[in-house]
Amino acid sequence: MTDTTAAPDALGALVSRHRVATRTRWVNAAWALPIGVLTSWLGLWALLQDDGSSGGGKGLGVILGLGVSGLGIGLTQALRALRGGSGEYFEVREYGLVHGNARGRKGSWTWAQITAVTVPTRRNSVGALAHRFGNDYRCVLTVAGGGRVRIDGLATGASALGNAVIDHCPNAPLLTGEEWTRKAGGWLLAAAVLCVGGIIATVGYISGHPDGEKVTVDANGNSDHEFVQGLDDTTIMLLALGMLTCGIAAATCLCLFVYGRTRRRR
């Protein structure tokens, strides 16, 4: 954020200062990324080596899932640490908000320049991991010019910081982050239909490649019967994972569509 429309010295006296645990983000990335890389590599290697006879499809799925999760967590934490910078902090001042780090102020805004506050309805994730990653609280501020400022649970007193912004910005809409479901209803329904179509197409593809028997007749009239596998076990496993993904995506899109329609009627 580089919006400096509001000069820091014009924002009045300091009310509260909230430091962000940037070091925790780096520690999270330091252990999540290696786990993600190693388990992803191991899962892919095992998948390429597996000829389907081991029956370890579920185990491979778990390993690959752990790898993707580790990569996602590690990259997210590292990107947030880089974006915030060393010594990241927020300051609530008498007439506005300051966001900065050890290098100086990244941005400062009067309360009137905060045009919307988004606090997700399900913002309070419970558990040590949620607290560790800062997912126990989330608040996104939309500022003049279309920029966004993200506050999460790794800011000290994050909830108090978010409430202070809400109290000082009574004219800024308080959103839940789910308003988009009311506008994207048709697209969500179309996505659900496409996912179901993908499942049907995959089932048709599998049905079109059944196991069979190949009969070869030599010059003497002797016939040789040979079993021919339609699809190998690895391909079937990958197609099954694709169908599972499409099924989950279709159910998610359908639930969001129904949720958006329900909110619209309220």
Side-chain angles (χ1 to χ4, degrees), residues 98-117:
V98 173
H99 180 209
N101 57 29
R103 295 185 177 182
R105 289 180 172 86
K106 293 167 61 65
S108 57
W109 307 269
T110 64
W111 297 124
Q113 289 178 304
I114 297 176
T115 58
V117 181

Side-chain angles (χ1 to χ4, degrees), residues 20-61:
V20 179
T22 306
R23 183 177 180 276
T24 300
R25 295 198 198 280
W26 284 120
V27 172
N28 292 340
W31 62 259
L33 281 174
I35 290 176
V37 171
L38 290 174
T39 53
S40 295
W41 178 85
L42 178 61
L44 289 174
W45 177 83
L47 181 62
L48 294 174
Q49 298 297 318
D50 185 25
D51 59 359
S53 60
S54 64
K58 292 182 179 180
L60 289 177

Side-chain angles (χ1 to χ4, degrees), residues 192-202:
V193 172
L194 287 175
C195 289
V196 172
I199 295 174
I200 295 174
T202 304

Side-chain angles (χ1 to χ4, degrees), residues 12-193:
L14 177 66
V15 177
S16 61
R17 185 180 177 92
H18 306 262
R19 294 187 178 277
V20 179
T22 306
R23 183 177 180 276
T24 300
R25 295 198 198 280
W26 284 120
V27 172
N28 292 340
W31 62 259
L33 281 174
I35 290 176
V37 171
L38 290 174
T39 53
S40 295
W41 178 85
L42 178 61
L44 289 174
W45 177 83
L47 181 62
L48 294 174
Q49 298 297 318
D50 185 25
D51 59 359
S53 60
S54 64
K58 292 182 179 180
L60 289 177
V62 171
I63 292 174
L64 288 172
L66 287 174
V68 172
S69 298
L71 288 174
I73 292 172
L75 288 174
T76 299
Q77 292 291 302
L79 288 174
R80 289 178 181 173
L82 287 171
R83 187 167 54 239
S86 176
E88 184 183 8
Y89 67 87
F90 291 92
E91 287 181 351
V92 176
R93 291 183 170 265
E94 188 177 1
Y95 304 117
L97 180 72
V98 173
H99 180 209
N101 57 29
R103 295 185 177 182
R105 289 180 172 86
K106 293 167 61 65
S108 57
W109 307 269
T110 64
W111 297 124
Q113 289 178 304
I114 297 176
T115 58
V117 181
T118 301
V119 181
T121 304
R122 302 174 183 85
R123 62 186 181 278
N124 294 323
S125 299
V126 179
L129 282 178
H131 178 69
R132 177 77 189 183
F133 299 138
N135 295 329
D136 51 342
Y137 182 82
R138 184 159 61 92
C139 176
V140 179
L141 312 178
T142 303
V143 299
R148 289 176 178 270
V149 182
R150 186 182 188 278
I151 300 169
D152 65 18
L154 289 181
T156 56
S159 180
L161 172 58
N163 290 335
V165 174
I166 294 172
D167 292 341
H168 284 92
C169 303
N171 295 324
L174 181 59
L175 308 176
T176 64
E178 298 169 343
E179 289 77 13
W180 66 273
T181 60
R182 288 176 286 181
K183 299 179 181 179
W187 291 105
L188 290 170
L189 190 60
V193 172

